[in-house]
Amino acid sequence: MLEIGTKAPDFTLKDKDRKEVSLSDFLGKKVVLYFYPKDNTPGCTRQACAFAETYEEFKSKNFEVIGISKDSVASHVKFAEKYALPFVLLSDPERKAIEAYGVWQEKKMCGKVSMGVVRTTFIIDESGNISEIMPKVKPDTNAQEILDKIKM
């Protein structure tokens, strides 16, 4: 289990343009790294749109926003275009980052147990250390909660 103050696991994944992006590319900036279950589902769409609506505010505070799911690059392209998402979306079909961050977990829905991505957000400081872990976040309020925290 990852802890606040520890080094965030680095990763290299493809973005919607098939370009390889590593967490270490963002050293010197703060990063909101959020893991979500699936493109184009109601909760994930609301969460992504909330980050899109507040993206300029994050940028003005030297934060980069990165969303990761196990969806394909092609799925991310459609998702980003459909909702005009201005931030980085990374594809992790092999679950390398998803598992490194411990967000691949057992989930229960309607009495059915399955494995999946638990919606979790990490805030990473300019040195690449985890400064905040927000497990099981709510898609509608996640972006604003982070902005409220960083305004303090």
Side-chain angles (χ1 to χ4, degrees):
M1 187 71 189
L2 297 175
E3 294 180 13
I4 292 172
T6 60
K7 197 77 167 160
D10 197 12
F11 52 76
T12 301
L13 301 170
K14 291 194 178 184
D15 70 4
K16 62 181 174 47
D17 301 317
R18 299 197 183 286
K19 186 179 131 216
E20 289 196 341
V21 175
S22 300
L23 180 61
S24 55
D25 296 342
F26 298 94
L27 285 173
K29 287 189 170 194
K30 297 172 200 147
V31 175
V32 173
L33 178 65
Y34 82 96
F35 290 88
Y36 66 99
K38 190 161 180 50
D39 291 343
N40 289 303
T41 56
C44 296
T45 298
R46 291 193 313 271
Q47 184 178 25
C49 288
F51 276 116
E53 289 166 15
T54 54
Y55 184 64
E56 287 306 316
E57 197 169 345
F58 280 108
K59 293 289 283 184
S60 73
K61 296 181 181 327
N62 198 34
F63 273 84
E64 189 54 62
V65 176
I66 302 172
I68 298 178
S69 76
K70 62 186 199 70
D71 293 298
S72 67
V73 168
S75 176
H76 280 350
V77 168
K78 290 177 190 164
F79 189 47
E81 286 175 358
K82 184 175 182 180
Y83 296 103
L85 304 178
F87 51 86
V88 177
L89 286 181
L90 297 177
S91 177
D92 190 12
E94 282 114 38
R95 303 191 314 251
K96 291 176 184 171
I98 288 168
E99 292 192 22
Y101 281 80
V103 298
W104 186 254
Q105 299 173 14
E106 192 175 90
K107 298 166 72 170
K108 285 184 185 173
M109 189 178 222
C110 303
K112 184 180 167 204
V113 178
S114 62
M115 293 298 288
V117 173
V118 174
R119 192 182 311 277
T120 307
T121 300
F122 295 84
I123 299 175
I124 300 166
D125 68 18
E126 300 93 335
S127 302
N129 296 315
I130 297 170
S131 61
E132 182 93 28
I133 301 171
M134 303 170 75
K136 298 180 183 173
V137 296
K138 298 206 177 343
D140 298 311
T141 58
N142 188 210
Q144 191 59 53
E145 280 180 75
I146 296 166
L147 284 172
D148 292 345
K149 283 178 188 280
I150 62 180
K151 284 178 187 172
M152 295 177 176

